[in-house]
Amino acid sequence: GQNIDQPTEMTATEGAIVQINCTYQTSGFNGLFWYQQHAGEAPTFLSYNVLDGLEEKGRFSSFLSRSKGYSYLLLKELQMKDSASYLCAAMDSNYQLIWGAGTKLIIKP
Amino acid sequence: IAGITQAPTSQILAAGRRMTLRCTQDMRHNAMYWYRQDLGLGLRLIHYSNTAGTTGKGEVPDGYSVSRANTDDFPLTLASAVPSQTSVYFCASSDSNTGASTEAFFGQGTRLTVV
């Protein structure tokens, strides 16, 4: 079957760095997405990886290893506004997104 | 402001009633999706449409129907609501469903409670 695994909750300190891991199993693979979702709001796009390696975008970076079925989202210089859920989603061979349950990130001062 | 709009934002519905959730986008995206989001679970695809005039079933289609008469609108209908359909419903659209994978844009969500 198709499956996405990511931690349910993580806690980090303002100004620090946090890495949110995601492992996936899909029928075929057409890329890995990360979305941010603040409580009570819609998900918003953060990053997309289809090739192995690291993609950097400001304070956020995303890494992909297709051979390991693994991705991570790296958040640097954490700010209180980064408190949110982070959703990992893999696109299968039918171009449908398979979503993880999300990782709730709690930032402490 | 360009984007994707859902209505209503929230609704309390008696079991057995019929309800249509509306979704409109003005980005001329060809693909549209309906998801439900429940606590502890990932977004689950209910129905999708790759282009106007076509629809397909997602992971959890039972009890729901959709139509795609034009590019902009993608309503979701609950024919006879049941309490297990209590959820937050998100409509989304994207520019391409094949070839280059692009991001999906989400509406603000509809919080539906079936009592």
Side-chain angles (χ1 to χ4, degrees):
Chain A
Q2 306 198 102
N3 191 53
I4 305 288
D5 284 317
Q6 54 181 130
T8 302
E9 186 175 296
M10 299 181 70
T11 301
T13 304
E14 189 177 16
I17 299 173
V18 70
Q19 177 174 312
I20 302 174
N21 296 324
C22 170
T23 58
Y24 64 89
Q25 286 181 305
T26 54
S27 300
F29 179 73
N30 281 297
L32 193 292
F33 292 79
W34 284 97
Y35 281 76
Q36 181 189 60
Q37 186 178 25
H38 285 100
E41 297 183 8
T44 56
F45 172 79
L46 286 178
S47 68
Y48 169 69
N49 295 64
V50 67
L51 300 176
D52 289 351
L54 188 68
E55 295 277 346
E56 297 186 79
K57 191 185 293 185
R59 293 190 299 115
F60 292 5
S61 302
S62 56
F63 172 83
L64 176 68
S65 169
R66 289 173 296 172
S67 63
K68 295 182 179 178
Y70 168 71
S71 173
Y72 67 72
L73 181 69
L74 191 71
L75 292 75
K76 302 176 184 176
E77 301 170 15
L78 286 170
Q79 302 175 11
M80 297 304 293
K81 67 178 182 180
D82 297 330
S83 292
S85 288
Y86 291 86
L87 313 181
C88 173
M91 183 168 280
D92 68 12
S93 58
N94 294 318
Y95 296 91
Q96 296 296 342
L97 285 172
I98 311 302
W99 295 84
T103 298
K104 182 178 180 180
L105 179 63
I106 299 168
I107 309 296
K108 295 186 174 180
Chain B
I1 298 176
I4 183 165
T5 304
Q6 293 182 232
T9 54
S10 66
Q11 181 76 45
I12 298 174
L13 185 67
R17 297 296 296 270
R18 180 184 179 89
M19 172 80 187
T20 295
L21 308 185
R22 300 184 298 279
C23 176
T24 300
Q25 54 106 356
D26 61 4
M27 297 175 284
R28 308 304 293 173
H29 286 169
N30 56 323
M32 296 188 75
Y33 314 88
W34 274 106
Y35 292 96
R36 59 178 290 173
Q37 187 175 41
D38 302 291
L39 194 64
L41 299 176
L43 287 162
R44 292 184 292 169
L45 183 65
I46 304 171
H47 285 285
Y48 65 93
S49 170
N50 290 336
T51 189
T54 69
T55 62
K57 294 182 179 181
E59 179 186 357
V60 289
D62 293 344
Y64 306 96
S65 63
V66 292
S67 61
R68 187 87 183 277
N70 56 61
T71 298
D72 298 344
D73 301 301
F74 191 44
L76 176 73
T77 298
L78 288 69
S80 180
V82 295
S84 62
Q85 292 178 310
T86 293
S87 187
V88 180
Y89 291 85
F90 285 103
C91 180
S93 69
S94 67
D95 195 26
S96 175
N97 56 292
T98 59
S101 300
T102 61
E103 66 183 278
F105 292 83
F106 286 80
Q108 77 274 32
T110 295
R111 186 174 297 274
L112 180 66
T113 303
V114 182
V115 297

